[in-house]
Amino acid sequence: MSEVAPEVLAPAGNWDCVRAAVANGAQAVYFGLDKFNARMRADNFTRGDLAALVPFLHGHGVRAYVTMNVLIFPAEMSEALQYLDELDAAGVDAVIVQDLGLAELVSRYRREGRWQIELHISTQMTVSSPEAVRWVDEMFDPQQIVLSRELSLKEIEACAKATSKPIEVFCHGALCVAYSGQCLTSETLGQRSANRGECAQACRMPYRLEVDGRMRDLGERRYIFSPQDLCALERVPEMLAAGVRSFKIEGRLKSPEYVAATTRAYRRAIDAALLGKTVPSAELGDDLYAMQMSFSRGFSFGWLEGTDHPLLTHGRFGKKRGALVGRIVRCGEGWVELAGVPAIPIAPGDGFVIDAGQDRNEEQGGRIWKVRGARLFFHGKGSHIDWSSVRPGDLLWKTADPALERRLHATWSNFGRSAQQAADVLDIRFEGRLGGQLTASCRGVMVGSGQPLEPAENRPLTPEVIAGQFGRLGGTGYRLGECRYEVEEGLMLPLSVLNRMRRELVEKLPGAVTAPAARPALDWAGWEGDFAPIKATDKYKLTVLCREPEQAYAAAAAGIKRLYLDFSDLRQLAPVAEKLRAEYPGVAVWVATLRILKPKETGYFKFLHAAQPDGVLVRNLGAALWFKEKSLPMVADFSLNAANPESVKVLRSYGMQRVTVSYDLNAHQLADLLRSACGPELELTLHQHIPMFHTEHCVFCTFLSQGHSFKDCGRPCEHHRVRVMDRTYAMHYLRSDEGCRNTLFNGRAQTAARYVAGMRRMGLRCFRLELLDESPEQTTALISSYRALMHGKITPEHLMEKLDLLDRIGVTETK
């Protein structure tokens, strides 16, 4: 367990958030650049910003952490290393990394003395057990490790005791329902990769449940995958005792007011805890209220106090609510009355939402005109409420507090602006019309939007919107002056385009601050010769992953020589393996680990080991360490996220016979990976139902029982077949594993059949079929069809039509 001093680690998506964090007591700030970070929708910074940003932070005693918490594709590694070289040269203190290959390269260049920048392991690497902590410690020697959000205080302590490195834990903000680094829903449903910073927040959408073939009425509980936000403010002392040394606040897409409120609250709580004191109840209440108003979907302790599925995800809504005021007892035209005087402050001008529940699918709101005790009168012109639909029993939420916003804004608005007040003034001219680009001109420099202006549906570009984005010039040495607008009304552009234009304009201005000069290029291609040579004449190998015993028997009878057993009931493994060996000599029986390992869960591995398997399909880093110590052959599964040759090399060096290709790679990226000569080391999942969500949250327990965890839920997962309907009416399969973790599988299977011939020519020879709910007869037919494809007896098109399959490789390529 580390003995370093604790820090408040605040998020920053732009300069205003940086100032808000520093002014309110952050000891470290994390931010992303315009590439290779998991929040690409944030304003983000550029490498050119580092020359001003890093000295600003260091000048106030604050550390600078840059996120590169995404997977790196094969063709991107050179650029990623150039980014890192510039980060190190700029004095950035640490880089937060997900990709195994990139982590290895950072570790290598630190050992060689080329870089001083610290390596921090991202939560995207899914470090959820003491064994995983030991694994990353052994492989990369990181300087800080970010744990998965799904751990309790006791589990965090167990992980902290496994290392001398500082442990970083999220203490506040939005909770992903899926394990970070393991969510493939955005890619599957929306072609936007969460592992590439483009999460579509599918978990915040409404869904319906089909139970045993019938739709289940859940009433207003439709947001079954949308957790409440994490708020650990009242558990800071316990987190410190558990070994947490970096208290991380989520929110690079949030406002400066949110950053100010959360940073101030956690800094106050940590300072008090270090002195053995508690925050006075009045101040604690003020802090909780300020954080609720800045952004809240409702607060919970997340997983810190253990499992309580209904508390984590109530299912009633999936977006910001603010602070709950109370329940309406009487109402009339323009007014509502509550059961008593509200406990939170209410003043004219405050914003409110009337929550009628999802059963009426209504949400209306407005601003308060006056307050008379428990009766609130709404402003007629500032509120758009159909009062005939407002009823007693509806909930009232406070969503805006202008006075609080002004107080929070005042904490940072003038902080660090002394240089900016004397900054160079930029007068900018904007021009644009329908179908053409928006252009911005200043001092002989012109930049364009790069995409045409289109008719606006609801949020048109206005002078205020454009000035708001171009006015974000903190730390650049400039401030916005006079703006001239010759832009047609009623048009739109994404705000991200305006942000890019602003950065590009500043970088091109004469005398602008530029990024540090690049150092000599790094030589990172020396590993290519480590892989076995390609032999285009190699025969293919077909493996099958089975989730039911009958599937395994059918696959063995069809002549499959390697089976992966992935049973939800681990007690079935040993007898099924014994029967397979007895009845089908020559079949190799491998077992698949659970996708997640948490503290005190290595007992699951004993079931796998008792089956005397020929090898293990490894799905988490802790399992890699455990089974290596047992000297069992291993294959790395897709969940270890091998997306480039360096990550393949990391896993192969640890003893993996083969490495399953990351599902984030499309056909072109897979081809790039094969060109590095590692084809024989890879295994491609050729046929599968993509696992979209993989989550600690149990839908079975929350919505099909009265329980709170596996201890009292009655295990409805063992008695019911459940499918989930999304907004497009597509049905998806929900399954629970031995650890009570849920996986939502895409309802339609997909195939990479169209790419098989080309991949085989490039050296790929191992292909896997993954079954879900196929019968023995369907299993036999499926194997027969793919053998026919491999032997050229049927075309990919014929196979896809015959089996009704999606034409897709991984999750980001479709036709």
Side-chain angles (χ1 to χ4, degrees), residues 661-672:
V661 176
S662 166
Y663 292 169
D664 276 273
L665 297 184
N666 63 27
H668 299 291
Q669 292 152 353
L670 176 55
D672 288 339

Side-chain angles (χ1 to χ4, degrees), residues 240-555:
L240 283 168
V244 177
R245 292 298 175 262
S246 183
F247 289 75
K248 188 171 195 172
I249 299 168
E250 179 274 340
R252 283 188 286 140
L253 291 169
K254 304 283 177 56
S255 69
E257 288 75 19
Y258 167 91
V259 175
T262 53
T263 302
R264 180 178 62 179
Y266 282 93
R267 178 62 188 269
R268 181 167 15 216
I270 291 171
D271 287 349
L274 292 174
L275 295 173
K277 300 179 180 180
T278 59
V279 177
S281 58
E283 293 182 6
L284 178 65
D286 289 344
D287 286 340
L288 287 169
Y289 171 72
M291 293 192 298
Q292 283 180 312
M293 294 310 303
S294 62
F295 193 96
S296 167
R297 299 182 182 90
F299 285 157
S300 81
F301 292 125
W303 303 103
L304 291 176
E305 296 193 327
T307 300
D308 190 336
H309 296 296
L311 178 63
L312 181 82
T313 306
H314 52 62
R316 293 189 64 252
F317 51 79
K319 56 186 176 181
K320 175 184 177 181
R321 272 297 190 272
L324 178 63
V325 181
R327 194 174 293 275
I328 297 171
V329 295
R330 281 178 289 277
C331 55
E333 185 72 24
W335 61 271
V336 300
E337 188 172 319
L338 305 174
V341 177
I344 62 174
I346 295 179
D350 289 350
F352 290 84
V353 160
I354 299 171
D355 180 0
Q358 294 300 317
D359 55 339
R360 277 190 272 153
N361 197 29
E362 297 173 2
E363 184 177 283
Q364 304 182 88
R367 293 194 178 270
I368 293 296
W369 171 46
K370 64 181 178 179
V371 182
R372 293 291 184 269
R375 183 168 291 192
L376 312 181
F377 295 85
F378 281 75
H379 196 286
K381 294 182 179 179
S383 303
H384 303 282
I385 299 174
D386 177 7
W387 289 101
S388 65
S389 67
V390 180
R391 305 173 189 174
D394 290 349
L395 294 175
L396 187 68
W397 297 82
K398 183 175 178 179
T399 57
D401 185 333
L404 173 65
E405 292 169 10
R406 288 192 294 270
R407 290 196 300 272
L408 291 173
H409 188 269
T411 66
W412 59 267
S413 58
N414 292 318
F415 184 85
R417 287 189 181 273
S418 56
Q420 189 172 355
Q421 289 169 355
D424 198 358
V425 177
L426 297 182
D427 298 329
I428 306 178
R429 178 177 179 177
F430 299 94
E431 298 178 278
R433 59 181 56 197
L434 180 64
Q437 292 191 58
L438 176 70
T439 62
S441 304
C442 179
R443 302 182 183 179
V445 175
M446 176 184 288
V447 297
S449 59
Q451 64 185 72
L453 289 157
E454 299 177 351
E457 295 183 2
N458 50 24
R459 294 184 179 178
L461 282 179
T462 63
E464 292 76 19
V465 170
I466 296 173
Q469 300 306 308
F470 273 79
R472 297 181 174 185
L473 295 166
T476 64
Y478 299 109
R479 62 185 175 89
L480 190 62
E482 181 182 353
C483 296
R484 296 177 57 190
Y485 302 96
E486 299 178 18
V487 181
E488 291 182 1
E489 295 183 356
L491 304 180
M492 65 82 63
L493 273 177
L495 295 183
S496 59
V497 173
L498 297 180
N499 293 330
R500 178 188 55 75
M501 291 175 64
R502 180 193 71 238
R503 292 191 292 260
E504 185 179 345
L505 179 67
V506 169
E507 289 174 358
K508 289 183 176 180
L509 288 172
V513 176
T514 59
R519 290 182 274 187
L522 295 162
D523 176 16
W524 59 276
W527 39 256
E528 292 188 2
D530 294 349
F531 293 111
I534 294 175
K535 296 180 181 179
T537 58
D538 283 345
K539 296 181 179 179
Y540 74 89
K541 297 179 181 179
L542 195 63
T543 65
V544 177
L545 183 142
C546 305
R547 292 189 166 94
E548 302 289 345
E550 292 74 17
Q551 295 171 345
Y553 302 141

Side-chain angles (χ1 to χ4, degrees), residues 191 754-755 806-809 811-815:
Q191 299 294 288
R754 181 160 57 98
Y755 307 96
L806 286 170
D807 178 15
R808 180 184 291 168
I809 188 169
V811 289
T812 55
E813 177 101 352
T814 188
K815 184 179 180 181

Side-chain angles (χ1 to χ4, degrees), residues 202 204-208 222-224 725-727:
R204 304 299 179 187
M205 299 294 107
Y207 295 88
R208 300 181 64 192
R222 299 177 188 173
Y223 294 86
I224 63 175
M725 178 188 288
D726 67 22
R727 292 185 302 163

